[in-house]
Structure formats: C-alpha cells, structure tokens
Amino acid sequence: LGTYFPEQTVGPAVLAPGRNVSFPETSYYDMNDLSPRVGVAYDLFGTGKTALKASFGKYLAGYGATDGNPVNNLSETTTRTWTDANHNYFPDCDLTNPLSNGECAAMANSAFGTNRLTSSAAQTTIAGSGKRLYNDEFTVGIQHQLWSGVAISGAYVRRWFGNFTVTDNLATAVSDYSMFSVVAPIDARLPGGGGYTVSGLANLNPNKVGQVNNQINFSQNYGDQIQHWNGFETAISMRLPHSVIVQGGFNTGRTLTDNCQIAAQLPEVQAVGYEILSLDRRAVSAGVTNMPFCRTQTPFLTDYKALGTYTIPHAEVLVAAAFQSFPGPEILANYVVPNSVIAPSLGRSLSGGAANATVALIAPGAMYGDRASMLDLRVGKILRFGRTRTTVSVDVFNALNSNTVTQYNNQYAAWLTPTSIVGARLFKFSVQADF
C-alpha cells in the first residue's frame, strides 16, 4: 500500500481570512503486509460422511483516498458556545477571533482557520511491514451427513482485531482533566429504575481549551486494547424427494471491547464515542469523556433463519417460504445535563462556557429492543411454451405484517421514541422467462 498527494494550496475562507498555505507533493503510506488464508478439511471416520474443517484468515482494513492528505492536518472544524443575550438569534461576536469575545466563548480549537498543522502521524503507523489495522478470523467446525440429502453442521468462530491507532493530543495530559459524576433520573425504564450515580466522567480544564496538537500512534504504546467476537453457528440442509428443499439454522455470538488502559492515559479517546474500531483519524475536541464504559461486552445475540421450497408435481406450482428473526436494535440513553447540575460535582463550571454536557446513562450493549421476526412467502406457476419456460410469481414480504421497532431515539429527552419500524407487508408480482 503506497500513496502520495500532489502539490496543493488552501486559501482563505469566510471564517479563515488569514489562511493561505501550500503543500508540496507529499508521500504518505508505504506499507507492506501479508494477508494469509488457509483451510483444511479431514474425513473424520473415513466414510466420506463426516468432515472436520478448520480455517484461518487475516483481513486488512481499507483506507480512503484522502487518508494522509496533508490538508487534513489543518484545523478545518471547531465548536464554540454562545449565549444569545439580546435574543436576536445571531452570535454577536467576532467569529474569526478564537478567544472569548462578545456573546461567544473561546473556540474548542484555537488553530481553526490558521496555517498551523494540528495533526500528524507517527512514522511507525504509516510505514513498514505489519502496520495496517487488521482482523484475524479462526473457524473450526464439523459437518455430518445424517442420510442421503440431509446434513447438519456446526462451527465455532473467533474474530479479533489488532494494530489499533489512537489520536493523542500532545498538548494535554491526564492531569488536565477534572472528574465529576451525575445522578441518573428516576425512570422505570432505566436499569434499576434509575437514580444511580454515573461516575468517572471527565472535563478538560479551562486553561487547556483550544490547545490541539494531535499525533496518531498505535494504541499498544499506551496499553492493551481489545476487540474480539466469539460465536457459534449451526445449520441443517435437507434435499428430499419431490423437489423439497429445507434449510435452516442459527448463529449466536457476543463482542467484547476494552480500551480502559488507553483511556486512563488518554481521556480524549473516549470523547469520540464508543466505537473502538475506527479509521476516522480526524482531530476532535476534548470535552466531556465517558470513562465508565471503556469496557463493554454484549450479551449473546442470536439470528435465526429458515427456508423451504416445494414444487407441486404435475401442477408445476412453486411454493416457498423464508423466515428470519434477529435481535432488536441496541439502545443508548444520551442525557443532556445542565452546567448548574454538573458544577457542584466538578467544582467549577464546564470549560469553554458550555451550558450543558451529554452523558451516557447506560453502557453500550446493555439494552436492546424487541426481537424482529419476519415471514416471506412465494407462489409461482410454471408455464411452458415450446422450448420456453415462464414462471409467473407472487411474493409476499413480511406476510404477518410485523411492525417491530428497528430504531429508537437515543436522546433522553425523547428516549425510546420509535424512529423506524419493519417495512409493511409488501406484494410483488414478477415474470421470469427462460429460453
């Protein structure tokens, strides 16, 4: 993997009138990686009916066309709070001034709109062998023929990831954060009915707001970072007389993620959210970070699937059904807490003049919505005209007209309000001609 970027110039903009910087042709990625894949099968009893199988594969992450572009090392976005004191719905301040002025607080990134580069990558993360983000997958399973046309199989699968990178703001340290806690509201829908304390929250100290000097480095330089998935799958396949085909099975597994050692040294990594595996290398401002949920493990989540087809003899009518059932959506609860509630625990107001902070009330993977199950049906008639075979079919998707919620509003102000449901029952007519 090798990339380079041609010469580029970035000029001034409305909120960056003083920006004017040129970049020469720049080389970036220079990586060499192997992606081995191997599989083996063994006839367990020598009868040709029972096979023991195992496989291993290494899969490398892809990178976008703009990853490493030196232009991205400029601060092109920032945030700042403002108070509309005169209620004219306009920030009465100099938006190009990074310091607090008028109705506006200081910028979260004081380098916004300047020629100063605020992000870089450690050379070890972009050059050499074995540097790309990867996931390894190991599978071991068994397949057995019960009798002619009928077979069952089962397998264990483990998938794990490596070569994580993190963005370390070299301008801040652990000592530049102050810890606080909040009390969750009383709510029967929350674990234990709510009223519990969410602790381990951190806020960047005011004297460090706006200071950004990000370096991308391997997370292993700060501690252990873990993400892996363990699961099982089983299936049965039957090819019976009279053109009967039946297949079905399930797979179940759970995911463990842990970056607690990283977050203990770099509180800013928790500010980007909960998705640990991320190729997003852009700078983010460090505000409130959620340390309590640096280690999460989902329950076993199970999918069920089955299908069957049958051709009615002589009448040449095709009948088919497919059933699937999958876990409900993950539920989060993002609670907007005003500064007046946080300040007593924090010992000061939130930095940057923030009026509030968003706090996660429940851990990722702790709550899920209702399971969604759907049944699809098909009936088709085969028509023969000379050497032409035509099939006229009617499909019914979601035949039971299930209306299970597939997505909820995770903002606590409108928590658990459905935002999408399973698609309504749908009929489809089709014609297929083979000649």
Side-chain angles (χ1 to χ4, degrees):
L1 173 67
T3 62
Y4 80 94
F5 298 90
E7 182 178 348
Q8 302 170 86
T9 297
V10 180
V14 173
L15 296 180
R19 184 180 62 190
N20 189 16
V21 59
S22 296
F23 299 94
E25 182 177 300
T26 304
S27 296
Y28 197 67
Y29 289 124
D30 184 15
M31 296 182 177
N32 300 290
D33 293 271
L34 296 176
S35 182
R37 297 170 194 180
V38 61
V40 62
Y42 176 64
D43 186 351
L44 196 58
F45 302 114
T47 60
K49 295 185 177 181
T50 306
L52 186 64
K53 302 178 179 181
S55 65
F56 171 80
K58 187 181 189 70
Y59 305 91
L60 302 173
Y63 292 98
T66 61
D67 283 331
N69 190 334
V71 171
N72 293 339
N73 295 333
L74 294 170
S75 294
E76 298 179 296
T77 62
T78 190
T79 60
R80 72 192 311 170
T81 59
W82 65 284
T83 303
D84 192 13
N86 56 9
H87 305 290
N88 66 348
Y89 303 102
F90 185 84
D92 294 306
C93 65
D94 180 3
L95 291 173
T96 65
N97 183 349
L99 302 178
S100 177
N101 70 96
E103 293 181 339
C104 297
M107 291 183 184
N109 186 348
S110 61
F112 170 77
T114 70
N115 295 341
R116 182 160 61 89
L117 303 183
T118 58
S119 182
S120 63
Q123 189 66 20
T124 54
T125 67
I126 60 174
S129 300
K131 303 297 185 179
R132 288 174 66 177
L133 179 67
Y134 69 85
N135 78 274
D136 288 340
E137 183 172 308
F138 171 74
T139 303
V140 61
I142 189 169
Q143 186 175 21
H144 177 65
Q145 178 181 320
L146 295 176
W147 56 81
S148 179
V150 180
I152 61 172
S153 62
Y156 163 74
V157 181
R158 178 176 174 83
R159 184 180 301 119
W160 64 99
F161 299 81
N163 281 353
F164 295 100
T165 58
V166 294
T167 300
D168 178 5
N169 185 358
L170 301 177
T172 64
V174 176
S175 57
D176 295 320
Y177 287 81
S178 298
M179 307 302 293
F180 68 96
S181 61
V182 300
V183 177
I186 301 296
D187 190 330
R189 300 170 298 173
L190 290 171
Y196 51 86
T197 299
V198 181
S199 57
L201 305 172
N203 180 244
L204 186 64
N205 292 339
N207 64 323
K208 287 293 183 176
V209 172
Q211 299 187 32
V212 178
N213 181 19
N214 289 323
Q215 183 186 69
I216 299 165
N217 216 324
F218 284 123
S219 63
Q220 64 193 29
N221 294 331
Y222 305 90
D224 294 331
Q225 182 167 341
I226 299 169
Q227 179 169 328
H228 59 68
W229 183 87
N230 291 281
F232 303 88
E233 59 184 34
T234 186
I236 184 169
S237 176
M238 297 186 290
R239 293 181 177 271
L240 304 177
H242 308 296
S243 301
V244 175
I245 298 176
V246 178
Q247 296 177 345
F250 71 90
N251 66 76
T252 185
R254 64 180 180 181
T255 301
L256 170 67
T257 58
D258 187 331
N259 71 337
C260 293
Q261 293 185 16
I262 314 301
Q265 296 190 54
L266 305 176
E268 61 265 32
V269 301
Q270 289 294 93
V272 301
Y274 301 115
E275 182 59 41
I276 292 179
L277 178 60
S278 175
L279 298 181
D280 185 356
R281 297 185 167 204
R282 293 174 297 174
V284 295
S285 60
V288 171
T289 65
N290 289 273
M291 302 291 285
F293 305 138
C294 59
R295 179 184 174 90
T296 62
Q297 182 169 262
T298 69
F300 278 96
L301 303 175
T302 305
D303 293 338
Y304 300 95
K305 294 182 180 180
L307 65 86
T309 64
Y310 175 56
T311 303
I312 300 175
H314 307 300
E316 292 197 304
V317 173
L318 302 174
V319 180
F323 173 80
Q324 57 181 330
S325 177
F326 47 88
E330 182 182 31
I331 295 174
L332 302 175
N334 300 319
Y335 182 42
V336 178
V337 187
N339 177 65
S340 59
V341 174
I342 293 175
S345 175
L346 184 60
R348 57 170 173 80
S349 294
L350 288 166
S351 59
N356 53 59
T358 300
V359 174
L361 297 179
I362 58 177
M367 293 181 64
Y368 291 85
D370 294 334
R371 173 175 289 275
S373 300
M374 290 185 293
L375 176 66
D376 301 331
L377 302 174
R378 164 176 280 196
V379 177
K381 178 67 174 80
I382 299 175
L383 304 174
R384 300 183 186 274
F385 303 97
R387 299 177 61 182
T388 301
R389 167 178 160 150
T390 302
T391 304
V392 180
S393 302
V394 178
D395 293 272
V396 184
F397 300 97
N398 191 15
L400 302 180
N401 205 26
S402 167
N403 63 351
T404 308
V405 177
T406 57
Q407 187 173 354
Y408 293 92
N409 190 325
N410 289 319
Q411 302 304 314
Y412 188 75
W415 195 42
L416 298 184
T417 301
T419 57
S420 67
I421 62 174
V422 172
R425 183 189 294 123
L426 175 68
F427 294 88
K428 174 184 174 182
F429 299 90
S430 61
V431 177
Q432 178 178 319
D434 299 306
F435 53 88

